Amino acid sequence: MTEFLWMLCENIAGITPFGVLCFFPLAECFRFSVKKTAWATALVALGVSVADVGADACLCAFLGHGAKPGAYAGLSHMLAAFLFFAWYAYAVRAIWQKKAVIYLFALEAALFYAAIADYVFTLMPAGEEAGLCAGAAVVVSLIISGVYAPPMCLFLKVLYMPQDRIIGKKEFLRLNIPLLILFVCCLFAFTLLFRKTLSESPHIKMLYFGLLLMVFLLCIVIVRMLWLINDKKAANERYVQAQNQIDIQGEQCRRITDDIESVRKQRHDLRLHMATLRGFLANGETDKAIVYLDQYLENQKSQRLVRYSENPVVNILVSHYADIAKESKIAFSTRIQISGDLSVQDTDLSAMLGNLLANAICAAQKLPASERAIKLGMMQKGNMLVLTVDNSFNGKVQKKGGAYLSTKPEHSGLGLSILSDLAKKYHGGVEFRHDKDMFYSSVMLRLD
């Protein structure tokens, strides 16, 4: 019974950092409150530890023919890991690929912890003369846990969690493969190959620590994969911004070309109109000349270009998306009160306004024509610039960690991320909210 209690305490000391590593990076995805999740996880850890030690005792009794406690620890640990995963999968609301990455990393860390503990235990005295050897093992486990858990949490906080927001299902799935291979290799090496031979030869010890170093380096490689994914996403963001700028420049060139062609046509038409008026006046048909002039002026009034703003970038973009809205039968209204010269880079302004209006049009197009509406507002007050876009939508939203995601196929909310990053660049912020049938987006920027 005493050995059972000592093993139970040792298991609890070992499972605590494992549980912390599983849940720490996913605190925003808990099904329950943090407090309730912590208490429930502690109870689950206690139950899993009891099941672990009990399974080991049963296997020793029925299969081991008098084997010492811990002889079947590998099998009982696998059972404990499965039971803990069942609770972990239920308590955390996230895509399974993401949960698997965190859990496999925690398993790697647990094996690393167990490998260190096993080596320390080989240095401890064995046999009956050791007296409180089991108690010392528990103390050693607690010390290792206390020293080991904080750096692992810091590792996740600094190197993993900043990348979590931008990693999608496919990237998480790719990360699961090397983590799973690494886990299987470590499981074989540290629990089956070296557990009994660690203290027999200096060469075994060298190989043992060499494998530990290799595991550490592989973890660094996996983290580097995360940073490469982040770099790829950042490059994609820069590409989107550059593409927006190219679109704006292309739109501007097209409009300038159209204006030049329009002026040429108007000059040609004006000569014809003047010739017609001269003919009416030469024949004394002044009434016909007046009617003709009235028709001409009315026609010119209907063809007058709408000018939304004195700022050329804003005017081009709003005109462009207003035309798209008209073609899509979307009621498009604006209220723009800004100066012609803003201390915001044209590329940034086009990225923000373009993303807001493109998302609004895409959302409104999913509704019947009679329900489609977009309201654009741009207001400059002192050194603050506020952009607002209110659009009707079908009421369906997707969120991840409290942040809105795109509902478009093969999109992960990259446009919303760009808006947030650009707002921070100008010491401002963004806000997104929705009600039953309207989505509200606002961006606030501080102008120099």
Side-chain angles (χ1 to χ4, degrees):
M1 183 64 182
T2 303
E3 289 183 346
F4 178 86
L5 291 176
W6 283 123
M7 289 183 63
L8 179 62
C9 293
E10 185 181 341
N11 275 12
I12 293 175
I15 201 173
T16 299
F18 172 71
V20 171
L21 290 178
C22 283
F23 286 92
F24 170 71
L26 301 170
E28 296 182 352
C29 305
F30 288 171
R31 185 179 296 272
F32 311 105
S33 66
V34 175
K35 186 177 181 179
K36 288 182 179 179
T37 303
W39 278 106
T41 302
L43 292 175
V44 169
L46 177 60
V48 166
S49 298
V50 172
D52 186 354
V53 177
D56 178 69
C58 292
L59 290 172
C60 289
F62 292 103
L63 302 177
H65 302 293
K68 294 181 180 181
Y72 293 93
L75 292 175
S76 62
H77 288 348
M78 294 299 294
L79 172 63
F82 177 79
L83 293 175
F84 194 88
F85 179 78
W87 160 246
Y88 164 78
Y90 174 74
V92 175
R93 288 177 172 173
I95 57 175
W96 70 266
Q97 295 92 338
K98 179 177 180 179
K99 290 191 283 189
V101 164
I102 300 299
Y103 195 77
L104 284 172
F105 176 83
L107 284 177
E108 302 290 348
L111 285 174
F112 207 96
Y113 159 86
I116 296 173
D118 282 346
Y119 177 72
V120 174
F121 293 156
T122 62
L123 304 177
M124 297 173 60
E128 297 297 331
E129 69 277 6
L132 299 177
C133 183
V138 173
V139 173
V140 169
S141 296
L142 289 171
I143 293 173
I144 295 175
S145 296
V147 173
Y148 183 71
M152 289 293 100
C153 290
L154 184 63
F155 180 89
L156 289 173
K157 183 177 182 179
V158 174
L159 297 178
Y160 166 76
M161 293 175 68
Q163 323 303 323
D164 174 77
R165 177 176 58 88
I166 59 172
I167 301 176
K169 291 182 180 179
K170 292 182 179 179
E171 288 82 5
F172 275 121
L173 187 60
R174 294 190 187 104
L175 286 174
N176 275 300
I177 297 173
L179 282 172
L180 182 60
I181 295 173
L182 186 59
F183 168 70
V184 173
C185 294
C186 292
L187 180 65
F188 174 75
F190 297 138
T191 64
L192 301 178
L193 185 60
F194 290 120
R195 184 178 290 271
K196 295 181 179 180
T197 61
L198 185 57
S199 60
E200 294 178 0
S201 168
H203 299 291
I204 295 295
K205 290 182 181 180
M206 291 179 62
L207 181 59
Y208 184 80
F209 284 106
L211 285 174
L212 283 177
L213 179 61
M214 183 189 72
V215 171
F216 179 74
L217 292 176
L218 285 174
C219 287
I220 293 178
V221 170
I222 291 173
V223 170
R224 180 57 182 164
M225 291 173 61
L226 287 176
W227 283 98
L228 289 175
I229 292 171
N230 183 29
D231 291 342
K232 180 181 177 181
K233 294 286 186 180
N236 193 25
E237 289 185 6
R238 291 192 295 270
Y239 168 78
V240 170
Q241 293 187 40
Q243 189 63 44
N244 284 337
Q245 181 64 13
I246 291 172
D247 291 343
I248 291 173
Q249 292 174 349
E251 181 67 16
Q252 188 174 17
C253 290
R254 187 186 66 80
R255 287 182 177 273
I256 291 173
T257 303
D258 289 345
D259 289 343
I260 293 173
E261 186 65 24
S262 177
V263 170
R264 290 178 59 189
K265 289 181 178 179
Q266 288 177 3
R267 291 176 62 184
H268 177 267
D269 292 343
L270 187 60
R271 287 197 297 269
L272 296 178
H273 294 314
M274 293 299 101
T276 302
L277 285 173
R278 184 179 183 283
F280 285 140
L281 294 175
N283 296 330
E285 299 174 318
T286 56
D287 292 340
K288 290 184 178 181
I290 293 173
V291 171
Y292 188 86
L293 274 174
D294 289 341
Q295 291 176 347
Y296 175 78
L297 293 174
E298 184 65 26
N299 184 53
Q300 290 298 109
K301 182 179 179 181
S302 65
Q303 293 182 359
R304 187 179 58 186
L305 295 177
V306 178
R307 191 170 189 82
Y308 295 95
S309 166
E310 295 298 323
N311 184 284
V313 174
V314 173
N315 200 61
I316 290 171
L317 275 173
V318 176
S319 298
H320 174 67
Y321 285 103
D323 292 341
I324 296 176
K326 185 177 180 180
E327 293 173 0
S328 301
K329 298 181 180 180
I330 300 173
F332 188 86
S333 59
T334 62
R335 184 185 179 188
I336 302 176
Q337 297 178 3
I338 61 173
S339 62
D341 185 20
L342 298 174
S343 58
V344 180
Q345 293 183 9
D346 290 345
T347 53
D348 296 338
L349 186 60
S350 65
M352 286 185 284
L353 195 55
N355 274 301
L356 286 170
L357 291 175
N359 289 340
I361 287 176
C362 183
Q365 286 174 337
K366 298 178 181 179
L367 296 172
S370 60
E371 300 176 13
R372 300 173 184 173
I374 295 175
K375 295 180 181 179
L376 168 65
M378 293 187 69
M379 189 75 63
Q380 185 179 354
K381 294 183 178 179
N383 66 337
M384 300 301 296
L385 174 65
V386 180
L387 289 77
T388 62
V389 175
D390 305 338
N391 61 273
S392 56
F393 81 121
N394 58 11
K396 298 179 181 179
V397 296
Q398 294 181 9
K399 283 188 173 184
K400 177 183 178 182
Y404 286 95
L405 296 178
S406 173
T407 57
K408 293 179 283 187
E410 303 299 325
H411 286 69
S412 59
L414 184 61
L416 302 184
S417 174
I418 292 175
L419 291 171
S420 179
D421 292 341
L422 289 175
K424 291 179 181 178
K425 177 179 176 180
Y426 292 94
H427 309 289
V430 297
E431 181 183 4
F432 305 104
R433 59 187 180 87
H434 72 282
D435 54 26
K436 183 178 179 181
D437 53 7
M438 290 293 293
F439 194 91
Y440 306 95
S441 306
S442 61
V443 180
M444 182 175 291
L445 308 177
R446 187 182 296 275
L447 304 176
D448 295 333

